[in-house]
Amino acid sequence: MKEIKPLIFDYNNMMKDFLGEEGFSDKELKDNFPKAQIAHKFFEENRGKNMLGWTELPYNQKSIIKNIKEVAKKARKADAFVVLGIGGSALGANALFNSLCHLHHNELKKSKRKAPKFYVEDNIDPVRMKELLDILNLEKTIFNVISKSGSTSETMSQFLIIYKILKEKYGENAKNHIIATTDEKNGNLIKIAKEESLTTFFIPDGVGGRFSVISPVGLLPAAILGIDINQLLKGCIYMDKMCRKNNSKNPALVLGLLQYLAMKKGKNISVMMPYSDNLKLVADWYSQLWAESLGKKVDLNNNIVHTGQTPVRALGATDQHSQIQLFTEGPFDKVITLIGVKNFKETVEIPHIFPQYPAVSFLSGYSLNDLITNERIATEYALTKNKRLNHSIILNEINAHTIGQLLMFFMIQTAYVGAMLNVDTFNQPGVEEGKNATYALFGRSGYEEKLTELKTTKPKNDKYII
Ligand code: PA5
């Protein structure tokens, strides 16, 4: 068996020793550690309860995994597998796909890909829908409609469009092209799924959208793609165990505290910058997790707090040529998370040609692996020299286990920070506001009051329209 290596969390560059006044002292960390420990205690005492149901998903899905694998075995024969979902019902599957599949999965021959082509349709742009339909062979396509609430306008409208087409084409057999993932008891999707006898998976109680990647929401697409979901969950367990410690050896707790203290000092932006294309969509997933969980108007005592840190996604080395200038010399309002990979699954050598041009040939004999690693180290150096709060997370390699560790790390860290901020980490009233306004604009029954409210908003002034 391959040796399991934990992710490494290096927070040197968050400290005074390296950043001077911009950094934190050991004393500051020590003095504030009780705050982190209260958050940790709350987390441990409530794991598995209320909206912390997701903490137990790595442990309690044995029969569900069996079911997922059975369904996946059949679905893998399809030409295409399409997720219809948005937000937490899309980002996790996309992150798993991006991190653990070939970066050009859909362009590979089926014999090499060994799984269906994969699409995550997380928007309602009519052009995107039409053009997706242009390329799909519906006869060999399976759609996974994912919605916990079973009422999200974007997802349900996509489902209605697709299901009508399937019904017209295949009549009774339309149901064989759809898998529904939703709440077991609430919402309309479960009702439709029952009426239409759709294959169905449930999003358990206590698992909100942005914490659902290790439920059937992410696991079914992952299994269909051939990802080792057992290893993924083992990685989650590995990290969960590391996070049982209520001391400075718990990486999610230390980073959580540092982020909390940084927020208190006005660092309102959290930059996530992996140096790996495979982790690009993990940064997207993190953005939702961080933004929706911590961006809150009120705290648990109903005080107006307006908390949160705006997540910014960047990709190393690509964004060294766009955003790094701002990160290095712009306002002191950011905490930058660099993610590195020690051993990439591929090695690409840079060849020896044009020795007559030293400014080019200095790269010869090295590999792209050396280059991307040194660029990450160089960025870390430049940020630190300019007194920018930054830290690094290093994965030994990218595999299902390390990705499980990473996802669990961020989910647990988010829960800790929410507890430190004393906000409801698991609600999203700001999202609901927009969802409800959309329902009202479409005249959905039960939203009459919201429509009246919308109609009484101040009309726009032409003076400000050019
Ligand atoms: O994290 C969340 O709760 C949201 O982003 C939801 O996942 C998103 O709004 C989609 O909701 P649903 O799964 O109910 O369709």
Side-chain angles (χ1 to χ4, degrees), residues 86-89 147-149 152 209-210 288 292 428 435:
I86 198 163
S89 290
S147 176
K148 173 148 169 109
S149 61
T152 303
R210 51 194 178 272
Q288 188 219 13
E292 276 194 1
Q428 52 282 322
K435 278 190 178 183

Side-chain angles (χ1 to χ4, degrees), residues 270-412:
S270 163
V271 177
M272 179 62 63
M273 188 167 185
Y275 275 72
S276 155
D277 276 64
N278 283 112
L279 298 177
K280 190 175 173 183
L281 298 189
V282 169
D284 279 27
W285 169 85
Y286 166 83
S287 292
Q288 188 219 13
L289 179 72
W290 202 242
E292 276 194 1
S293 300
L294 306 179
K296 298 290 151 76
K297 177 174 161 184
V298 292
D299 69 9
L300 291 171
N301 305 322
N302 244 350
N303 299 311
I304 303 284
V305 285
H306 295 296
T307 63
Q309 236 183 3
T310 304
V312 168
R313 310 154 232 203
L315 179 68
T318 308
D319 283 302
Q320 285 183 202
H321 300 269
S322 74
Q323 301 191 68
I324 272 289
Q325 171 60 35
L326 172 76
F327 300 165
T328 311
E329 294 192 352
F332 284 84
D333 56 359
K334 302 171 194 67
V335 179
I336 298 147
T337 306
L338 302 170
I339 309 186
V341 178
K342 229 178 193 167
N343 300 299
F344 286 85
K345 71 179 176 199
E346 305 290 352
T347 302
V348 177
E349 305 291 348
I350 305 170
H352 280 283
I353 39 179
F354 304 120
Q356 67 276 33
Y357 300 113
V360 172
S361 68
F362 76 96
L363 294 166
S364 301
Y366 292 103
S367 63
L368 289 184
N369 309 51
D370 299 321
L371 186 56
I372 198 164
T373 301
N374 279 339
E375 293 213 13
R376 174 173 54 75
I377 293 167
T379 295
E380 192 186 336
Y381 159 78
L383 289 170
T384 307
K385 189 176 168 192
N386 283 282
K387 314 274 180 240
R388 306 300 156 141
L389 286 171
N390 72 92
H391 52 266
S392 295
I393 295 172
I394 310 293
L395 302 186
N396 185 51
E397 58 179 59
I398 293 179
N399 57 40
H401 196 282
T402 57
I403 293 299
Q405 289 182 40
L406 191 66
L407 299 180
M408 201 66 179
F409 174 82
F410 286 131
M411 289 193 286
I412 294 177

